[in-house]
Amino acid sequence: FTYCSGSSSGRFWARGNGWVIAGLVRMLENMPADYPSRGRYVKLYKELVSRLVSIQHADGTWHTALLDPEAYPSKETSGTAFICYAITWGINQGILKKSDYYPSVKKAWAALASAVHPDGKLGYVQEVEEKPGHVDYESTEVYGTGAFLLAGTQLALLEKNSAKSFSGKPKKRSDKKTN
């Protein structure tokens, strides 16, 4: 690859890093707990999560070019969704501390939800390319929706598990309708 966004920091792509961290999650899910080098992959996962969280934008997303937000100022939802999925999975597995990483997940999910059109289409998804590119509200691709669903599934699991008390019984909800 010869493309450079103009930044001397190289090319670090939100969706590319999203695919990597989501793939790492899938690998860890299927790797036996006693696999000899599992610790190496858990360490790699934690380091990647930590770095990604440190460069998350105030709007909750990761922009197309991770280290050159000025070149691509618009949010990008496929990378954001993959990263949100991976972080939430780590919280659910007890690999990441919820107190440290839930604020990032919450911001990412709010940004993702704001990109859903009234008809359900997810916008701000970069098209298939070999490098960072421009996106807008109308940009969409199926892998963005898939990543969104992965993130939402992990978040629903996290919220379900958080709603249980120490006895394992669901907490009483105060939003039930009364007749």
Side-chain angles (χ1 to χ4, degrees):
F1 296 105
T2 57
Y3 170 80
C4 188
S5 65
S7 167
S8 61
S9 59
R11 177 175 58 190
F12 296 93
W13 188 11
R15 189 171 68 240
N17 277 266
W19 281 115
V20 168
I21 199 161
L24 192 51
V25 161
R26 297 293 296 156
M27 192 173 81
L28 288 168
E29 280 180 328
N30 292 289
M31 184 182 288
D34 61 352
Y35 189 75
S37 59
R38 181 180 174 84
R40 174 179 168 230
Y41 294 103
V42 170
K43 182 178 183 276
L44 177 64
Y45 164 79
K46 287 177 160 183
E47 289 171 353
L48 186 52
V49 167
S50 178
R51 180 65 175 127
L52 287 167
V53 168
S54 77
I55 59 173
Q56 183 179 23
H57 291 273
D59 70 0
T61 66
W62 286 269
H63 294 201
T64 305
L66 291 173
L67 301 179
D68 193 6
E70 293 79 29
Y72 302 97
S74 180
K75 60 185 169 184
E76 201 286 318
T77 55
S78 64
T80 297
F82 280 126
I83 296 166
C84 181
Y85 155 69
I87 296 170
T88 311
W89 176 88
I91 295 170
N92 284 330
Q93 297 304 307
I95 295 171
L96 301 174
K97 289 175 64 176
K98 183 177 179 184
S99 60
D100 292 341
Y101 292 98
Y102 184 72
S104 176
V105 167
K106 187 176 177 181
K107 286 189 332 186
W109 185 254
L112 289 166
S114 75
V116 177
H117 294 218
D119 66 359
K121 178 175 104 173
L122 180 65
Y124 297 98
V125 179
Q126 187 190 344
E127 66 183 27
V128 176
E129 289 192 59
E130 76 285 355
K131 63 182 188 277
H134 294 280
V135 296
D136 61 32
Y137 180 73
E138 293 301 325
S139 305
T140 197
E141 293 287 343
V142 294
Y143 49 79
T145 304
F148 178 86
L149 293 171
L150 285 170
T153 300
Q154 284 298 313
L155 186 58
L157 181 61
L158 179 63
E159 296 299 327
K160 177 183 173 188
N161 291 340
S162 295
K164 291 184 179 177
S165 68
F166 289 108
S167 67
K169 295 177 183 175
K171 290 180 182 176
K172 294 188 183 218
R173 295 185 57 152
S174 61
D175 61 347
K176 290 183 181 178
K177 291 183 180 179
T178 57
N179 292 336

